[in-house]
Amino acid sequence: MAARIGYDVKPTKIGPDARDELQQLLENLHKHGMLRLANDLVCANSRIAKVAVDGLNKEGTLNALQNLSLLLMALSSIPPERFQKLVFAVTDALDSAGRHRPEPDQDEAPGLSGAYRMLNDEDLWRSLHPLIAGLKAFSQHLDRDEEKPISVFTGKSSAA
Amino acid sequence: MATCTITYDGQPLTGEADIPLIDFLTAQGINLPHVCYHPSLGAIQTCDTCWVEMNGELLRGCTLRCADGMAIDSLAARSAREEGMDRLLAKHELYCTVCEHNTGDCTLHNTFADMKIPVQRYQFERKPYVKDETNPFYTYDPDQCILCGRCVEACQNVEVNETLSIDFNVEHPRVLWDGGTEIAGSSCVSCGHCVTVCPCNALLEKTMQPDAGPFTAMPQEVKRPLIDFIKSMEHTIGTPAVTGLSLMDIQLRQPEIKRTKTVCTYCGVGCAFEMWTRDRQILKVQPVADAPANGISTCIKGKFAWDFVNSSKRLTTPLIRENDRFREASWDEALSLVARRLLEIKAEFGPDSIGFIGSSKASNEEAYLTQKIARLIIGTNSVDNSSRYCQNPATMGLQRTVGYGGDSGTIHDIEKAELVIIVGSNTSENHPVIASRIKAARKHRGQKLIVADLRRHEMAERADIHLRPKASTDLVWASALARYMFDHGHADLDFLKKHVDPAKLDEYRRSLEPFTLDYAEQMTGIPKAQLIEAGELIGRATSACLLWAMGITQHSHGADTSTALSNLMLVTGNYGRPGTGGYPMRGHNNVQGASDFGCLKNVYPGYEKVTDPKIREKWAKAWGVAPEALSDKVGEDNFLMVQDAEKGKVRAMYVIGEETAFSDADSKNVHEAFTKLDFMVVQDMFFSRTAEFADVVLPACPSVEKDGTFVNTERRIQRFYQVLPPLGDSRPDWRILTDLAARMGHDWGYSHPAQIMHEVAGIAKIFAGVTYERLEGWKSLHWPVEADGTDTPLLYTEGFHMPGGKAVLYPLTWKEPAEAADAEYDLILDNGRMLEQFQAMNQTGRGPRIWSLSPKWFVEVSPELAQERGIEDGSWLRITSRRGSLDVPALVTDRVSGGNLFLPLHHGKPGLNALTGEHHDPDVNTPAYKEIAVKLEVLRRAKDPPPLPDRNFRFGHRHPIDGVPVDEKWHRGDYLAPPRHIEHPDRL
């Protein structure tokens, strides 16, 4: 004969704990070769560090990093809308300048009198015209009230 | 399949004719962008993203059906489609990488990504509403809602609960619940249809929030600035780069999200769906259109009631009773003890001193093993399942008249019937998805509906005719209507001549003589005019299906009444044709399968009789023993096992997944009987009330932690797959039973349930062609299944499963119910399930979310009785039957009338069965749970607040509409058809 008795169930762990997650992470890192790479990196750390430091200490690398830093510092001070104008103005100028095709026999220095003659030289002015057109486009672009870059880029206006 | 060839962007394409263009193109591997279109919902036409050009005209692609010669130009309509998407994005903020819904099936995200839109035209505008978190299971975020109306369409026309709507005429349209802005307190039944079909994160499961993705759980104070940062960057770099991030995020989520097909373990509809999990977290249940029984449909339990799986109360270690307490034990020790004690008791008291109760919630394979242990190892046929408590009378009624103890057709047949008759079944609460199909057939094509029930439940409210008989008198009106058919020329004489055994016909007709309409009116209380109205509707219907459930079977003459209902269907020729038949609504997910696979006292799997020598020989041969090793004596059923335990004839019981101590009638007697057993094993997920009497408790797994098959109410066999590993040291029942058998000298060596099914299919004729391969994925089979895999969705098309292939009209006489009201016990206590709960709540009771809907027990009292006895909502009542009494607060409602009370069967420590008795149907030994005469005393105790919270869906007021009112949107002055731009896309 069995009398009726109760029992308090002990809760069972539901879901992974940190240890399980770690175990799974290890498994995945192994499966995808990341542990091998990490091991390689750790074991070769002195030699890799030497290569990296040598490379960093080359004049060109130092110049590049310092210039990049300067560029980033300068960029951080420019509001995007001004920079946008500048970038697209340069693009337009380059575009205009690029359309110029110089004539083959006009590459000697003019001299002082030559410079005077140049002022009246219609051919010369014709040759300078692309540059002036470029500068004009550059300044016009700076004055333009611009749409969003992506709208300019795609041609689709957006109020978003 | 008829085919057609169309031209799409100059390319000829050939495929199925007369299907929606979008589906046609999808089958060809071409994606025409679309958001609101859903194969299960059709063309809603709200999203404006699927425009194409045909004959120089811009048309919504979702409205087109393919036909030969169609020439579609999608390129010409690109700007219109893009304008449509731009308008959606004015209503929906894209922050996909940190959105829970970006799991790969977000329609909006995927469509946007496919369209490769460089930047959105319109600014996203917030709406003047807050996110609604008042439902326990899902949220609605108006700021993310694109007003596509999928949810409205699903609620109004698939589920047909008719709660959701959109009013496009207000300044800021949004989804409305009962026309209002809060979910709680509306008629929303939390079926989840709206959440399932939502194409974005506007409607989202709470279980997905907040950590469905690796970046989604970050605090709002980080998430918001991050979203703003990305939005700023979009001004410069556009959306493709940002969309690239969200596409990568989708890929990141895939390895950790597992999608597994499973089958619901609540009622007998057999809803199948994908369950999405991340580790042990159940992210969501995602129904799919391919699911054969339910498509995209679920109810509150299938969609949301899975908190029990990870309940801290789950049993995970075997327990052994020792010195009046339970101690933990190893599997080895526990199984060895069970094996030893069962064999000792068999040796000492004989095979029939041990009884087995199999589980109607466990798989077919587990039912098979249960009966195999009982029959082969122990040598007894005393094996049963909970169908004894509910379904056996229906089975008996069908076996007497047409042959097979199962639904004669499918849910599809019920949908297509001209007339549906529901008797003693609260279908919308107990088989909600089937109810939805009936409601939809009624709403869309005028299917007629007759409901016979004491209670005015939802289906009764929707019925053309609601017959409200006196309790236990259904046999009378059913027989009177059968007679009416003969008397008024509605009997299908051709059918009777061809398909019904003529030898019994005259006797049957004579048996109907007493059942005049006057007699029926007198006995049932149903007005004669209403009976005639019902008789004419049934008699004139070209096809009718009759559904019945516990309101019929749980009476002292449930088998006879079931027989009378089946007789009525035969008389009117309603068997063997599409849209006809008798449909007992099976209550548990596998109550059909537990019986089909042999957990019955008189039959082997496949309903093969234990008393038939040839059958016994066949099974003995298959199991490798002499026929004499198997008993040819019909065993004891649940009901008698318990009685025999009380008498000392049954000395040991093995109960699997059944809460017999709570569910069996007259629980006081049941408890006394259990205490007298020498040995008792309980195998369950939880430490149930029944386990309190056990000597050994074995921790089993729910269906989502194992593989197997179930049979639903349609006789449909479906596979379910393991979603999660077993919790702790719990084990699948099939493995426990296999290991136990090995310890009893029968090492069967099953390592997967497929091997068990293979064995059954090789022996039981009706499962001959059942294999796991034929059940793979969303495939299913209706038994009987031929060896070549041909199954039988609709029974009796080639004759009946009776001698000579002829059905039998079974003569009946009226018998008084075993218990009726008298001067002292003057009221009748009806009882049953509630939509949001299930049985003893061992599953639905494990968490606060479902509890919040109906936290307290109550008894429904009619307004008439309440007025007569001075009862109000919350008044404490003492309900006393001839066995016992219980105290419960009152809920006054017109769902019940006169002297009928209704008590939900889920709650309470002693529960409803403190009141029920030993009286039962003598034909099948099913307790007459619904024949309880009671008296009522209003207690002088301070009134409780109303026991049902005002936020319960029963207090809602439905808002029926035809569907999404897209015309209203188009007629707004500020709507212009794309590709033209508009000023306020966020408002329509």
Side-chain angles (χ1 to χ4, degrees):
Chain A
M1 180 180 285
R4 187 178 191 173
I5 53 173
Y7 178 75
D8 283 330
V9 175
K10 293 177 190 164
T12 301
K13 188 183 78 177
I14 304 289
D17 58 16
R19 197 174 297 279
D20 299 331
E21 296 270 27
L22 187 61
Q23 196 66 36
Q24 196 182 354
L25 175 63
L26 280 173
E27 187 62 33
N28 287 333
L29 287 171
H30 167 69
K31 208 183 291 176
H32 296 284
M34 303 301 285
L35 285 181
R36 180 180 173 183
L37 177 64
N39 272 326
D40 292 347
L41 283 169
V42 171
C43 294
N45 74 83
S46 304
R47 277 167 292 153
I48 292 169
K50 177 81 169 56
V51 173
V53 170
D54 287 350
L56 284 173
N57 278 319
K58 284 201 163 67
E59 187 182 353
T61 315
L62 287 169
N63 286 346
L65 284 176
Q66 288 182 69
N67 290 341
L68 191 60
S69 302
L70 281 171
L71 197 58
L72 290 173
M73 287 162 67
L75 285 174
S76 70
S77 66
I78 305 173
E81 55 275 17
R82 271 180 55 198
F83 191 66
Q84 172 196 344
K85 285 184 179 179
L86 181 70
V87 169
F88 285 106
V90 169
T91 309
D92 285 359
L94 290 173
D95 191 39
S96 295
R99 281 199 291 271
H100 170 61
R101 295 285 175 275
E103 291 178 16
D105 54 347
Q106 292 184 350
D107 53 356
E108 288 174 8
L112 193 60
S113 58
Y116 175 76
R117 278 200 306 279
M118 279 170 63
L119 294 173
N120 297 301
D121 184 344
E122 288 179 5
D123 287 347
L124 174 69
W125 280 112
R126 208 176 297 125
S127 69
L128 282 175
H129 192 258
L131 185 60
I132 294 166
L135 284 170
K136 203 170 148 189
F138 183 78
S139 56
Q140 276 173 355
H141 204 116
L142 287 177
D143 288 340
R144 198 186 299 165
D145 232 2
E146 194 55 271
E147 278 194 291
K148 288 177 181 175
I150 188 64
S151 294
V152 175
F153 188 70
T154 61
K156 178 180 179 182
S157 67
S158 167
Chain B
M1 180 185 83
T3 61
C4 66
T5 300
I6 69 165
T7 309
Y8 186 78
D9 291 338
Q11 183 189 356
L13 300 173
T14 301
E16 189 179 348
D18 198 29
I19 62 169
L21 174 66
I22 290 175
D23 297 345
F24 180 95
L25 293 173
T26 303
Q28 305 280 340
I30 297 170
N31 179 34
L32 175 65
H34 59 275
V35 176
C36 67
Y37 176 79
H38 186 292
S40 300
L41 303 174
I44 305 172
Q45 304 185 67
T46 49
C47 74
D48 279 343
T49 61
C50 66
W51 292 97
V52 292
E53 202 174 281
M54 188 168 79
N55 302 327
E57 191 185 357
L58 270 179
L59 297 166
R60 292 180 181 86
C62 63
T63 61
L64 300 176
R65 297 183 79 82
C66 287
D68 249 334
M70 272 173 66
I72 305 289
D73 184 351
S74 79
L75 303 174
R78 183 185 161 86
S79 59
R81 291 197 299 274
E82 194 166 312
E83 170 66 15
M85 177 56 78
D86 279 330
R87 293 181 187 182
L88 297 184
L89 300 182
K91 298 183 271 283
H92 178 97
E93 190 175 32
L94 288 176
Y95 49 75
C96 308
T97 307
V98 294
C99 169
E100 291 88 346
H101 200 243
N102 194 38
T103 45
D105 70 339
C106 178
T107 307
L108 184 59
H109 172 274
N110 297 350
T111 307
F112 174 74
D114 286 345
M115 290 175 78
K116 298 187 171 30
I117 293 175
V119 63
Q120 64 186 71
R121 180 174 302 280
Y122 304 110
Q123 187 168 5
F124 163 69
E125 298 286 348
R126 295 196 179 282
K127 298 185 187 72
Y129 309 112
V130 294
K131 184 174 176 180
D132 189 335
E133 308 203 36
T134 60
N135 182 280
F137 309 105
Y138 70 93
T139 57
Y140 172 64
D141 188 350
D143 278 339
Q144 293 300 99
C145 177
I146 57 174
L147 302 175
C148 68
R150 271 191 183 186
C151 55
V152 174
E153 191 63 24
C155 182
Q156 291 284 345
N157 291 326
V158 179
E159 157 69 0
V160 199
N161 200 58
E162 301 174 315
T163 300
L164 270 57
S165 62
I166 296 176
D167 182 358
F168 282 110
N169 293 316
V170 297
E171 187 178 1
H172 295 282
R174 53 161 286 163
V175 175
L176 303 169
W177 275 256
D178 289 354
T181 57
E182 191 165 284
I183 305 172
S186 76
S187 59
C188 171
V189 290
S190 302
C191 63
H193 281 73
C194 56
V195 186
T196 294
V197 299
C198 180
C200 60
N201 65 336
L203 287 156
L204 194 62
E205 297 87 351
K206 285 188 170 174
T207 44
M208 290 279 285
Q209 305 177 51
D211 56 354
F215 306 115
T216 57
M218 64 178 72
Q220 199 58 25
E221 59 265 29
V222 178
K223 195 183 263 189
R224 189 67 253 170
L226 188 63
I227 295 168
D228 292 341
F229 167 73
I230 298 289
K231 291 287 163 199
S232 302
M233 291 299 291
E234 265 183 18
H235 295 165
T236 302
I237 59 175
T239 52
V242 183
T243 307
L245 284 178
S246 61
L247 288 169
M248 281 193 280
D249 174 59
I250 290 175
Q251 297 310 319
L252 268 180
R253 299 189 195 192
Q254 300 316 303
E256 59 180 21
I257 293 180
K258 188 178 159 207
R259 301 161 176 82
T260 315
K261 182 222 170 179
T262 190
V263 179
C264 186
T265 53
Y266 286 102
C267 79
V269 175
C271 295
F273 33 70
E274 284 183 348
M275 188 170 271
W276 290 39
T277 51
R278 188 173 69 88
D279 298 324
R280 282 202 73 87
Q281 182 184 352
I282 297 172
L283 290 169
K284 65 172 173 176
V285 159
Q286 185 68 18
V288 300
D290 292 333
N294 59 303
I296 59 165
S297 294
T298 46
C299 73
I300 177 175
K301 296 189 287 291
K303 179 76 179 174
F304 296 117
W306 297 94
D307 293 349
F308 73 89
V309 174
N310 285 324
S311 165
S312 60
K313 295 291 183 188
R314 279 277 305 275
L315 283 171
T316 55
T317 310
L319 303 172
I320 291 177
R321 178 187 287 262
E322 195 173 80
N323 299 327
D324 291 332
R325 66 176 185 88
F326 284 103
R327 68 164 172 85
E328 293 183 353
S330 68
W331 274 103
D332 190 47
E333 183 187 9
L335 288 175
S336 297
L337 175 61
V338 173
R340 179 172 60 78
R341 290 291 291 130
L342 290 181
L343 291 176
E344 281 172 1
I345 290 168
K346 175 190 171 185
E348 191 175 351
F349 300 104
D352 290 336
S353 65
I354 302 174
F356 289 80
I357 299 182
S359 175
S360 57
K361 309 211 74 61
S363 69
N364 296 320
E365 293 78 2
E366 289 158 347
Y368 175 78
L369 292 187
T370 304
Q371 61 87 40
K372 189 175 178 183
I373 288 177
R375 294 193 161 107
L376 175 62
I377 301 179
I378 301 299
T380 180
N381 286 314
S382 293
V383 55
D384 207 356
N385 75 90
S386 73
S387 69
R388 186 67 48 199
Y389 302 136
C390 50
Q391 292 292 349
N392 284 19
T395 299
M396 174 70 83
L398 291 170
Q399 288 176 341
R400 282 173 176 172
T401 52
V402 290
Y404 283 120
D407 286 6
S408 45
T410 65
I411 295 169
H412 190 49
D413 285 298
I414 299 171
E415 276 182 281
K416 69 168 73 151
E418 186 181 311
L419 168 70
V420 168
I421 309 157
I422 299 177
V423 187
S425 161
N426 184 359
T427 319
S428 58
E429 296 206 43
N430 294 338
H431 300 87
V433 170
I434 290 178
S436 292
R437 299 296 179 263
I438 297 168
K439 290 188 279 182
R442 186 163 169 69
K443 185 169 184 177
H444 302 315
R445 58 171 193 80
Q447 184 182 68
K448 297 291 180 191
L449 178 62
I450 297 174
V451 169
D453 208 295
L454 303 185
R455 287 178 86 215
R456 187 169 169 75
H457 48 58
E458 183 190 344
M459 298 311 280
E461 280 174 3
R462 290 176 180 272
D464 294 285
I465 301 173
H466 177 199
L467 307 173
R468 221 164 177 175
K470 290 177 194 165
S472 309
T473 63
D474 296 274
L475 184 143
V476 177
W477 68 256
S479 299
L481 289 184
R483 176 180 164 151
Y484 183 88
M485 299 304 152
F486 284 110
D487 292 349
H488 293 82
H490 294 313
D492 189 338
L493 300 178
D494 281 349
F495 176 88
L496 296 177
K497 194 174 172 187
K498 281 185 205 158
H499 299 297
V500 173
D501 185 353
K504 295 274 177 69
L505 192 55
D506 288 343
E507 187 188 349
Y508 173 70
R509 289 200 62 172
R510 279 196 302 278
S511 76
L512 291 180
E513 281 171 11
F515 295 101
T516 63
L517 291 180
D518 291 327
Y519 175 71
E521 181 181 58
Q522 176 205 331
M523 294 296 290
T524 65
I526 302 170
K528 185 175 170 183
Q530 205 181 23
L531 286 169
I532 293 170
E533 194 187 354
E536 288 298 312
L537 203 51
I538 296 169
R540 291 177 191 279
T542 56
S543 61
C545 289
L546 195 148
L547 285 56
W548 74 101
M550 307 306 103
I552 291 300
T553 60
Q554 291 179 334
H555 288 268
S556 52
H557 304 295
D560 281 353
T561 308
S562 298
T563 309
L565 295 173
S566 187
N567 282 341
L568 178 59
M569 289 288 93
L570 280 173
V571 168
T572 50
N574 279 305
Y575 270 112
R577 289 181 291 120
T580 65
Y583 296 79
M585 294 284 97
R586 303 306 194 187
H588 290 252
N589 59 303
N590 204 39
V591 73
Q592 180 73 50
S595 300
D596 298 343
F597 282 78
C599 280
L600 288 175
K601 63 180 178 178
N602 58 339
V603 286
Y604 292 105
Y607 300 97
E608 300 183 358
K609 289 180 179 168
V610 297
T611 49
D612 182 332
K614 283 187 182 165
I615 295 289
R616 183 168 76 138
E617 194 179 332
K618 179 179 84 165
W619 283 90
K621 188 178 171 195
W623 286 343
V625 295
E628 297 72 36
L630 304 179
S631 169
D632 59 357
K633 189 182 119 200
V634 171
E636 303 292 15
D637 51 51
N638 295 355
F639 184 75
L640 292 177
M641 274 181 228
V642 173
Q643 285 195 340
D644 284 354
E646 168 74 23
K647 293 173 194 157
K649 280 169 67 183
V650 165
R651 312 300 293 240
M653 284 185 72
Y654 196 127
V655 182
I656 302 174
E658 291 297 337
E659 184 59 304
T660 315
F662 185 78
S663 305
D664 203 350
D666 200 352
S667 44
K668 186 165 170 283
N669 279 358
V670 175
H671 297 174
E672 282 173 13
F674 281 167
T675 59
K676 291 184 177 169
L677 289 168
D678 292 345
F679 188 65
M680 185 175 183
V681 184
V682 170
Q683 189 168 304
D684 209 307
M685 291 186 291
F686 293 100
F687 190 80
S688 60
R689 300 161 181 92
T690 312
E692 292 173 15
F693 298 93
D695 294 280
V696 179
V697 182
L698 301 174
C701 293
S703 62
V704 295
E705 294 175 3
K706 59 192 179 187
D707 287 280
T709 60
F710 292 141
V711 186
N712 79 343
T713 190
E714 305 167 287
R715 298 169 286 105
R716 186 192 296 276
I717 310 170
Q718 300 185 89
R719 265 181 82 172
F720 59 91
Y721 295 78
Q722 182 177 334
V723 179
L724 302 167
L727 183 65
D729 207 10
S730 63
R731 290 184 181 177
D733 298 79
W734 66 265
R735 197 181 145 200
I736 299 171
L737 295 169
T738 302
D739 290 347
L740 176 64
R743 281 174 165 76
M744 297 166 92
H746 292 257
D747 190 357
W748 296 326
Y750 305 119
S751 58
H752 191 273
Q755 298 159 340
I756 303 168
M757 181 58 85
H758 180 71
E759 180 177 312
V760 193
I763 316 171
K765 193 180 165 200
I766 67 169
F767 305 125
V770 180
T771 66
Y772 265 42
E773 289 71 29
R774 288 185 176 135
L775 297 170
E776 198 169 351
W778 303 103
K779 289 186 283 188
S780 63
L781 295 165
H782 300 264
W783 65 254
V785 185
E786 301 289 335
D788 64 1
T790 307
D791 71 341
T792 319
L794 181 61
L795 292 172
Y796 316 129
T797 54
E798 307 291 329
F800 289 88
H801 186 60
M802 301 288 275
K806 302 279 190 188
V808 170
L809 280 166
Y810 193 94
L812 297 161
T813 53
W814 160 248
K815 295 171 195 143
E816 290 286 339
E819 178 160 314
D822 60 14
E824 184 182 0
Y825 298 95
D826 56 337
L827 306 171
I828 289 291
L829 182 68
D830 191 9
N831 52 78
R833 289 186 196 151
M834 299 167 73
L835 171 69
E836 61 270 47
Q837 292 289 4
F838 196 78
Q839 298 305 102
M841 299 193 292
N842 283 351
Q843 290 168 265
T844 51
R846 308 287 171 180
R849 302 198 302 159
I850 285 182
W851 272 115
S852 69
L853 293 178
S854 47
K856 292 180 183 169
W857 205 8
F858 56 86
V859 61
E860 289 184 355
V861 178
S862 70
E864 311 90 86
L865 189 66
Q867 191 178 17
E868 180 191 315
R869 312 248 178 134
I871 300 167
E872 295 174 359
D873 279 349
S875 298
W876 276 94
L877 308 180
R878 178 159 296 158
I879 312 288
T880 304
S881 76
R882 295 180 175 111
R883 272 74 49 187
S885 68
L886 48 85
D887 298 351
V888 64
L891 181 75
V892 180
T893 169
D894 63 4
R895 284 191 289 275
V896 288
S897 66
N900 292 323
L901 307 173
F902 177 83
L903 190 69
L905 56 75
H906 313 290
H907 306 71
K909 178 74 176 170
L912 163 73
N913 286 312
L915 305 179
T916 52
E918 298 273 301
H919 55 297
H920 59 276
D921 185 333
D923 293 328
V924 282
N925 291 341
T926 297
Y929 291 96
K930 290 182 172 47
E931 273 178 21
I932 316 175
V934 295
K935 57 185 173 185
L936 178 156
E937 180 189 353
V938 183
L939 299 176
R940 292 186 181 185
R941 197 187 292 180
K943 238 177 49 171
D944 258 17
L948 208 53
D950 57 8
R951 58 171 42 203
N952 187 282
F953 61 87
R954 291 173 181 82
F955 296 116
H957 299 283
R958 292 191 177 86
H959 187 85
I961 53 174
D962 290 340
V964 181
V966 67
D967 282 346
E968 289 177 8
K969 170 177 161 171
W970 296 338
H971 287 131
R972 276 178 61 141
D974 49 355
Y975 177 82
L976 297 171
R980 283 177 291 177
H981 307 317
I982 57 173
E983 202 170 335
H984 290 297
D986 56 302
R987 296 183 190 177
L988 47 87

